[in-house]
Amino acid sequence: MAWREVLNSQDVAEGQGIEVLHQGNIIAVFRQRGDVYAIDGLCMHQGGPLARGKLADGTIQCPWHGWMYALATGKNAVTGQPMLRCYPVQEIDGKIAIDLGT
């Protein structure tokens, strides 16, 4: 696993998202109901900034055109098709780390 510390825990408030840039890739990190999620940060429709979207019931809604994705799977919430990459997340000692793979 290629864990990288990307944020301090307090940087991601409950019900909010934040963008992280890693090697040219935008990753959106969210906290919902105490859990932390990391998912590709750009909407597949037209590249809207998902970190600025609306969280609801385990989904993120793109602020531009309303496309919705499941935080845990990256699947489109309407079609069920996998669309976005999700990253394993761990929160330890006040830090959030993401497994960015190889």
Side-chain angles (χ1 to χ4, degrees):
M1 298 199 125
W3 292 101
R4 302 272 192 261
E5 286 184 3
V6 294
L7 296 164
N8 292 316
S9 292
Q10 71 266 15
D11 293 338
V12 185
E14 177 65 32
Q16 300 295 313
I18 190 168
E19 287 183 354
V20 173
L21 184 62
H22 178 73
Q23 295 181 346
N25 296 312
I26 297 173
I27 300 168
V29 180
F30 301 95
R31 185 182 303 278
Q32 187 175 49
R33 296 187 181 125
D35 293 323
V36 179
Y37 300 91
I39 192 168
D40 284 338
L42 299 178
C43 179
M44 291 297 291
H45 178 229
Q46 289 188 344
L50 293 178
R52 297 183 197 148
K54 180 179 178 184
L55 287 171
D57 299 321
T59 63
I60 183 65
Q61 182 177 21
C62 179
W64 286 4
H65 302 107
W67 281 41
M68 295 177 67
Y69 304 94
L71 292 171
T73 64
K75 291 181 179 180
N76 181 286
V78 174
T79 67
Q81 294 297 312
M83 299 190 100
L84 300 175
R85 181 177 176 192
C86 294
Y87 301 86
V89 177
Q90 61 183 5
E91 187 171 17
I92 300 173
D93 297 327
K95 302 285 186 187
I96 295 173
I98 300 173
D99 177 11
L100 298 165
T102 55

